[in-house]
């Protein structure tokens, strides 16, 4: 496995199987352009406890990362009667998602590589507005919020991934703005909560295809572009490169950076670091740099 991280500086303001043996989880259907699945925001419910119902959480091993809880199992029983509890490796259940499934139910290897890079390179998140693009589990955005990001947006193609995996992971890890202010709780606990409140990060979650996501957020009058876009294992399919490039271009702030982690080549689909880097260089808008090869 080889991962490369590209750093790109915008000059304008404005998945294939990893290997034949590891083909699981990235959809066969990604060989064709996904339809323009409309984007929508998934509002974080007021009662966050409800979000974690029927979820089994487990701490991520590895001391180099910020301690992070991840959804280990979800019950798809209610959504898909007849199915049993599904474990974190949802790969064989991609057929449970209607329409095109882009692989977000499983945590892909480069997510861990990028998190290791964050630690090693002491990537700064404090005060930044961050987008976890093609987030799946959302671990990159969660790490950013734990690192002091002022706002983190999560985007995944599939709404079910956002509802069943990203949202529970965010709720389990991030003290959210709008969490109960503990008005009915003992004073000591209230004070602890108000200390936490100072560290809250505004999180928003979105599903839908990239162009549609752009349209949705850019339609907001007061939309502020992202200082940092994090993205892992999203360049497997060359058919999506134009849309992805356009998305980065439209959403990244003038001095923003993209940290991208990907395998060198995705057999069967054809994308990978080298092809994407060439694509970006030919467009001539971003500057790219390989930060680490694993
Ligand atoms: N980043 C996660 C990880 O590393 O575990 C998930 C990687 S998964 C292989 C690829 C992700 O890219 C999907 O979750 C999907 O949301 C996103 N994606 C790929 N193509 C997309 C497209 N055309 N529009 C929107 N999202 C897309």
């Amino acid at each position: 496995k080889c991962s490369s991280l590209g750093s790109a500086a915008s000059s304008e303001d404005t998945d294939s199987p990893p290997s034949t043996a590891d083909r699981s989880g990235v959809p066969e259907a990604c060989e064709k352009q996904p339809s323009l699945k409309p984007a929508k925001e998934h509002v974080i419910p007021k009662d966050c406890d409800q979000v974690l119902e029927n979820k089994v959480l487990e701490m991520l091993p590895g001391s180099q990362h910020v301690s992070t809880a991840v959804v280990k199992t979800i019950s798809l029983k209610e959504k898909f009667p007849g199915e049993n509890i599904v474990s974190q490796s949802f790969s064989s259940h991609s057929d449970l998602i209607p329409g095109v499934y882009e692989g977000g139910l499983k945590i892909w290897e480069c997510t861990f590589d990028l998190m290791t890079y964050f630690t090693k390179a002491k990537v700064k998140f404090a005060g930044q507005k961050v987008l976890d693009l093609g987030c799946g589990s959302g671990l990159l955005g969660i790490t950013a919020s734990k690192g002091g990001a002022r706002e983190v947006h999560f985007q995944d193609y599939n709404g079910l991934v956002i509802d069943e995996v990203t949202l529970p992971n965010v709720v389990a890890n991030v003290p959210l703005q709008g969490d109960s202010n503990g008005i009915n709780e003992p004073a000591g606990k209230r004070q602890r909560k108000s200390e936490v409140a100072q560290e809250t990060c505004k999180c928003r979650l979105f599903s839908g295809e990239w162009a549609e996501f752009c349209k949705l957020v850019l339609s907001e009058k007061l939309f502020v572009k992202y200082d940092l876009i994090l993205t892992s294992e999203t360049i497997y399919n060359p058919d999506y490169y134009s849309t992805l490039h356009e998305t980065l271009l439209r959403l990244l702030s003038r001095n923003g950076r993209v940290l991208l982690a990907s395998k060198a080549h995705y057999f069967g689909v054809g994308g990978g670091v080298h092809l994407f880097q060439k694509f970006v260089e030919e467009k001539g808008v971003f500057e790219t740099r390989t930060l680490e090869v694993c």
Side-chain angles (χ1 to χ4, degrees):
K1 180 184 59 150
C2 171
S3 299
S4 172
L5 308 169
S7 163
S10 171
S11 62
E12 288 190 20
D13 202 9
T14 60
D15 301 1
S16 150
S19 73
T20 31
D22 189 15
R23 196 178 165 119
S24 58
V26 170
E28 324 290 306
C30 70
E31 276 145 28
K32 50 183 191 319
Q33 185 83 18
S35 53
L36 287 186
K37 189 177 180 134
K40 77 167 205 185
E41 178 161 8
H42 296 237
V43 178
I44 299 176
K46 284 215 165 69
D47 178 7
C48 285
D49 292 344
Q50 215 183 8
V51 172
L52 296 177
E53 257 170 35
N54 301 323
K55 305 284 188 294
V56 177
L57 295 172
E58 195 170 86
M59 292 308 284
L60 268 188
S63 55
Q64 79 270 41
H65 307 311
V66 188
S67 110
T68 305
V70 289
V71 170
K72 171 79 176 161
T73 59
I74 63 171
S75 169
L76 292 179
K77 259 191 181 139
E78 286 158 35
K79 307 210 176 276
F80 306 101
E83 279 300 318
N84 285 320
I85 305 288
V86 179
S87 80
Q88 190 259 306
S89 186
F90 301 91
S91 39
S92 58
H93 294 78
S94 56
D95 54 326
L96 290 175
I97 297 200
V100 178
Y101 163 58
E102 290 292 344
L105 287 177
K106 134 173 178 155
I107 307 173
W108 290 84
E109 294 81 359
C110 292
T111 276
F112 296 111
D113 292 340
L114 193 46
M115 287 166 74
T116 303
Y117 177 79
F118 292 161
T119 309
K120 199 171 142 189
K122 299 191 174 66
V123 173
K124 298 218 171 10
F125 300 110
Q128 307 229 354
K129 179 171 177 181
V130 179
L131 171 65
D132 185 344
L133 190 69
C135 61
S137 63
L139 296 188
L140 301 176
I142 288 169
T143 308
S145 85
K146 290 189 176 206
R150 77 170 192 278
E151 187 166 350
V152 181
H153 291 182
F154 298 84
Q155 173 279 334
D156 196 272
Y157 184 84
N158 297 102
L160 188 93
V161 171
I162 292 288
D163 289 337
E164 298 298 326
V165 182
T166 324
L167 175 63
N169 279 343
V170 169
V171 167
N173 289 287
V174 182
L176 296 165
Q177 275 179 9
D179 268 3
S180 141
N181 61 10
I183 222 89
N184 297 318
E185 288 170 355
K189 200 165 175 186
R190 247 192 348 250
Q191 172 161 1
R192 279 198 302 281
K193 282 210 173 182
S194 75
E195 282 157 14
V196 170
Q198 287 165 6
E199 298 158 21
T200 57
C201 168
K202 186 174 182 195
C203 290
R204 294 176 67 187
L205 297 91
F206 302 87
S207 65
E209 189 273 335
W210 286 325
E212 295 290 309
F213 167 66
C214 272
K215 238 196 274 173
L216 178 69
V217 289
L218 290 170
S219 71
E220 293 179 2
K221 247 192 179 152
L222 300 174
F223 180 75
V224 174
K225 295 185 182 189
Y226 302 101
D227 303 306
L228 184 60
I229 299 181
L230 307 171
T231 191
S232 153
E233 307 238 22
T234 46
I235 57 166
Y236 45 87
N237 192 338
D239 292 346
Y240 308 166
Y241 284 8
S242 282
T243 316
L244 178 58
H245 189 273
E246 187 67 15
T247 301
L248 301 177
L249 187 56
R250 296 175 74 191
L251 299 185
L252 196 65
S253 70
R254 185 175 282 277
N255 294 313
R257 282 205 311 162
V258 178
L259 287 176
L260 178 150
S262 161
K263 290 169 182 129
H265 183 75
Y266 291 87
F267 292 94
V269 179
V273 161
H274 308 297
L275 198 67
F276 188 66
Q277 197 158 9
K278 189 163 165 266
F279 182 93
V280 172
E281 278 162 11
E282 281 172 7
K283 289 271 178 194
V285 181
F286 294 103
E287 192 185 294
T288 72
R289 203 147 51 95
T290 298
L291 299 173
E292 176 123 340
V293 177
C294 312

